[in-house]
Amino acid sequence: MKLGIIFICHNNEGDIDPGVFIEHLQQAETLELCLVNNDSRDNTYGILQEIKDACKNVSIVNIKKFKTDNSAVRAGARFMFNNFDRIHIGYVNILEFSDKGLTVNDLFKTLCENRDDILDCHLAILEQREIKQTLFQNIFSAIEYLNKIEADIQLANLN
């Protein structure tokens, strides 16, 4: 089963190291990445294109008029639902975690290293739901799942 991550970018030229993305994506066969460029005015789109050109598991959605975060996530989700079968989709908005002192590159490394745990966490949550949700309702915040996984690890270490 594949995990898809929608990565929302807006004017993040100085934050993204294409080498880090390419290195980790080439090792992450079960990860599909959809890079959404939300009307960036810098060279963010060029950097995303460089990553896409080097990795077969990367797609780009280029939004030419700035959208809200939710609209950008929906644009990426529509693309992924239309192009990939049996994929579980999470999203990351770079602005969500920038307050925590992490770099985009660190976050991306963490996502790649924990992709199986993120997928397991998502599947466990889906099993607990009594009502089946629509495709768009099943999209989850990868940041929230990473926080949950980290909290579970810390709890296990205390016991």
Side-chain angles (χ1 to χ4, degrees):
M1 214 172 285
K2 283 200 171 191
L3 174 64
I5 299 291
I6 300 165
F7 214 81
I8 308 298
C9 303
H10 177 72
N11 295 332
N12 297 104
E13 173 184 19
D15 301 327
I16 300 172
D17 179 352
V20 170
F21 276 65
I22 292 166
E23 176 186 340
H24 284 80
L25 281 167
Q26 289 176 339
Q27 299 171 13
E29 296 172 4
T30 59
L31 181 67
E32 288 290 337
L33 186 65
C34 180
L35 301 168
V36 177
N37 181 41
N38 194 1
D39 191 38
S40 295
R41 299 291 179 203
D42 60 5
N43 190 37
T44 298
Y45 182 72
I47 291 171
L48 301 181
Q49 191 64 47
E50 180 182 339
I51 295 167
K52 180 189 181 299
D53 291 345
C55 302
K56 63 181 179 183
N57 52 342
V58 175
S59 305
I60 296 177
V61 173
N62 190 27
I63 299 173
K64 296 186 183 197
K65 184 177 178 189
F66 186 79
K67 305 278 185 189
T68 65
D69 294 340
N70 286 338
S71 294
V73 168
R74 281 194 302 271
R78 272 192 302 275
F79 178 85
M80 293 190 93
F81 285 134
N82 289 330
N83 291 287
F84 302 103
D85 288 334
R86 301 181 56 182
I87 193 164
H88 294 272
I89 299 176
Y91 68 91
V92 173
N93 185 340
I94 292 176
L95 298 176
E96 273 184 26
F97 71 90
S98 59
D99 300 342
K100 299 179 182 185
L102 290 174
T103 67
V104 172
N105 303 320
D106 291 338
L107 172 70
F108 190 71
K109 284 186 221 176
T110 304
L111 282 172
C112 288
E113 291 166 0
N114 292 288
R115 66 187 180 277
D116 293 334
D117 293 332
I118 292 169
L119 184 57
D120 291 345
C121 186
H122 179 63
L123 292 172
I125 288 172
L126 288 178
E127 285 179 14
Q128 295 172 356
R129 292 186 180 153
E130 294 179 17
I131 298 172
K132 187 174 179 179
Q133 295 187 314
T134 66
L135 294 175
F136 287 111
Q137 290 172 326
N138 279 329
I139 298 171
F140 59 90
S141 168
I143 300 290
E144 287 178 21
Y145 280 27
L146 284 174
N147 290 339
K148 182 179 177 1
I149 292 165
E150 184 180 310
D152 290 346
I153 290 169
Q154 289 175 353
L155 183 62
N157 288 338
L158 291 175
N159 293 331

